[in-house]
Amino acid sequence: MPLTLWQHCTLATMQPHARQPYGLVPDGALVVQGTNLQWVGPLAELPEALRAQCHTQHDAGGALITPGLIDCHTHLVYGGDRAAEFEQRLHGAGYEEIARQGGGIASTVRATRQASMQELQASATRRLRQLLAEGVTTLEIKSGYGLALEHERKCLQVARALGTEHAVAVCTSFLGAHALPPEFGGQSDAYMDEVLRMLPVLHAEGLVDAVDAFCERIAFSPAQTARLFEAARALGLPVKLHAEQLSDSAGAQLAAGFGALSCDHLEWLSDEGAAAMAQAGSVAVLLPGAFYFLRETKLPPIDLLRHHGVPLAVSTDCNPGTSPCTSLLLMLNMACTLFRLTPEEALAGVTRHAARALGLNDRGVLAPGLRADFVLWDVSHPAQLAYALGAKPHLQTVFEGQLR
Ligand code: NIG
Ligand code: FE
């Protein structure tokens, strides 16, 4: 198989335990074979025999090269928007108050049910293009605005279609337990029975890579979440959880008990929750866009997570209600300014640790044998990716070895 050389670049390999911050390699080189990286290191150390086999050579023009960005928590597929709710909130209404009055998630559910697959795909494609323009090569997409078999199916099918029609890898999560649909009139146990009926059907159709839930006082209880996670376990599916976003429900401990890939949001996470996540190897997915957009004041306990050695990922949480955001670079900045992550932690959060939050060990760092998903940036140091607001440093993306 032909080899391709990329040279005249600085690499931020993001390899763990690297000697340099960011795994930085000045004057680096990458050799790509097919869809994977074959060699990564300083150009001066590239074996002559290998260089001779590189039929194609790219001059990166002095660019910084990072792993392809990974957005590990999105609700990309939905109908309508919630700009009117944004206005309501600016006239004083609260997020939970709106949700309790049948607005919030329920209003997106109405719009999503009314939308055809084509309409959903068209609106999600617009958002996807914005993420891709900033170097995203893998993203997770949740269902959760259909809340009935045919509509959850429709959303997951759109997510799969986006992954086949665009040069991006898509992981799906079934979030049937996102909110209680209105036709269940407050009967959340009965709706959970229905979610448990949907899961094996959608899984058999190849639409589900992981199972997620919203464990919160305005959504599902820990006991209901546990029923769902038991069902996921029986199907061999990994779980993740929207946990401790608005209050502490001890969702993180529950999810960790099921070996969760990640617990997400975590503003109200307790010491016990952080310890349980560390024990289980669950990633903490931080969502500064939702924190910012809801004007939360309770910060996720970053020092506690660091203390327990929990890996930190960062994501857009792209959704119409709490984070209408399609910029992972903006999230890098907000993770630093709002949550006080270092720029290096933030970049690891959208590469190495984001991969782990999706259970993927073939990407997220630049290393031989891993996927050749990487991004060329017009910056001289990786901290500039988190530092600048509204800059457009993206030059090119390589996805599975090919220029996108
Ligand atoms: O991740 N927390 C629950 N779900 C979404 C918000 C959903 C919505 O308001 O539409 C989130 O923040
Ligand atoms: Fe979310």
Side-chain angles (χ1 to χ4, degrees):
M1 198 178 290
L3 301 183
T4 302
L5 172 66
W6 288 83
Q7 59 185 335
H8 193 195
C9 53
T10 299
L11 305 177
T13 68
M14 302 313 288
Q15 286 177 12
H17 319 300
R19 241 180 282 136
Q20 298 301 323
Y22 302 92
L24 220 54
V25 181
D27 204 4
L30 297 172
V31 176
V32 175
Q33 180 171 36
T35 58
N36 286 67
L37 293 166
Q38 152 95 353
W39 192 91
V40 176
L43 181 64
E45 291 174 22
L46 177 66
E48 199 42 57
L50 193 57
R51 181 199 272 269
Q53 289 176 55
C54 292
H55 291 297
T56 313
Q57 305 206 353
H58 290 282
D59 183 334
L64 174 79
I65 297 186
T66 67
L69 303 192
I70 299 174
D71 196 352
C72 66
H73 177 141
T74 86
H75 309 247
L76 198 78
V77 178
Y78 59 82
D81 68 74
R82 303 249 286 280
E85 176 183 317
F86 182 59
E87 289 208 297
Q88 252 182 301
R89 288 203 291 116
L90 282 159
H91 285 106
Y95 178 73
E96 286 189 63
E97 186 188 340
I98 292 168
R100 289 185 203 286
Q101 289 165 358
I105 295 177
S107 72
T108 300
V109 171
R110 285 191 289 276
T112 304
R113 288 178 173 181
Q114 276 164 20
S116 68
M117 253 187 90
Q118 290 70 18
E119 288 165 337
L120 289 173
Q121 187 161 337
S123 65
T125 297
R126 284 196 290 277
R127 293 184 279 274
L128 177 63
R129 285 193 202 286
Q130 290 159 9
L131 291 170
L132 299 188
E134 282 190 350
V136 168
T137 51
T138 295
L139 88 155
E140 185 252 21
I141 301 177
K142 303 174 192 299
S143 67
Y145 290 118
L147 309 186
L149 181 61
E150 63 171 310
H151 299 293
E152 288 288 291
R153 176 188 281 130
K154 180 172 76 176
C155 295
L156 291 168
Q157 284 174 340
V158 168
R160 282 280 188 251
L162 293 172
T164 50
E165 293 175 21
H166 300 266
V168 66
V170 170
C171 301
T172 59
S173 297
F174 172 58
L175 180 56
H178 192 193
L180 186 59
E183 63 273 19
F184 277 80
Q187 304 294 310
S188 56
D189 283 321
Y191 178 62
M192 188 53 83
D193 292 341
E194 179 57 22
V195 170
L196 296 184
R197 280 191 287 272
M198 288 185 229
L199 174 59
V201 176
L202 297 170
H203 175 52
E205 294 173 15
L207 293 171
V208 181
D209 296 327
V211 174
D212 193 353
F214 188 19
C215 185
E216 188 58 64
R217 55 193 177 201
I218 54 167
F220 297 94
S221 70
Q224 291 166 334
T225 304
R227 287 182 64 205
L228 175 65
F229 284 0
E230 294 285 1
R233 178 147 70 190
L235 293 170
L237 284 169
V239 300
K240 43 181 57 239
L241 189 64
H242 283 73
E244 323 339 348
Q245 179 184 13
L246 308 170
S247 61
D248 181 11
S249 317
Q253 293 91 307
L254 172 75
F258 285 86
L261 290 174
S262 70
C263 298
D264 305 33
H265 287 287
L266 300 174
E267 278 77 352
W268 293 82
L269 181 70
S270 65
D271 196 3
E272 296 76 24
M277 287 176 67
Q279 180 86 31
S282 306
V283 175
V285 178
L286 305 170
L287 304 167
F291 175 90
Y292 161 83
F293 198 73
L294 293 180
R295 302 188 78 230
E296 297 289 350
T297 50
K298 174 96 170 143
L299 286 159
I302 303 299
D303 278 337
L304 182 67
L305 290 161
R306 285 190 185 118
H307 169 77
H308 285 285
V310 176
L312 307 176
V314 174
S315 170
T316 60
D317 193 13
C318 176
N319 79 70
T322 67
S323 191
C325 171
T326 49
S327 172
L328 204 45
L329 289 182
L330 179 58
M331 296 303 98
L332 283 186
N333 178 272
M334 286 192 184
C336 297
T337 51
L338 298 175
F339 295 170
R340 314 306 289 163
L341 263 62
T342 66
E344 187 180 4
E345 284 175 319
L347 189 58
V350 297
T351 55
R352 184 172 80 240
H353 293 157
R356 183 162 160 185
L358 297 176
L360 303 170
N361 54 17
D362 61 349
R363 67 196 79 185
V365 298
L366 300 175
L370 300 198
R371 285 167 64 101
D373 293 348
F374 55 88
V375 185
L376 280 66
W377 304 100
D378 185 15
V379 299
S380 55
H381 189 278
Q384 289 167 2
L385 297 175
Y387 155 78
L389 285 163
K392 301 250 180 287
H394 175 269
L395 294 171
Q396 285 181 310
T397 300
V398 173
F399 176 74
E400 292 183 323
Q402 301 289 325
L403 263 172
R404 190 159 73 181

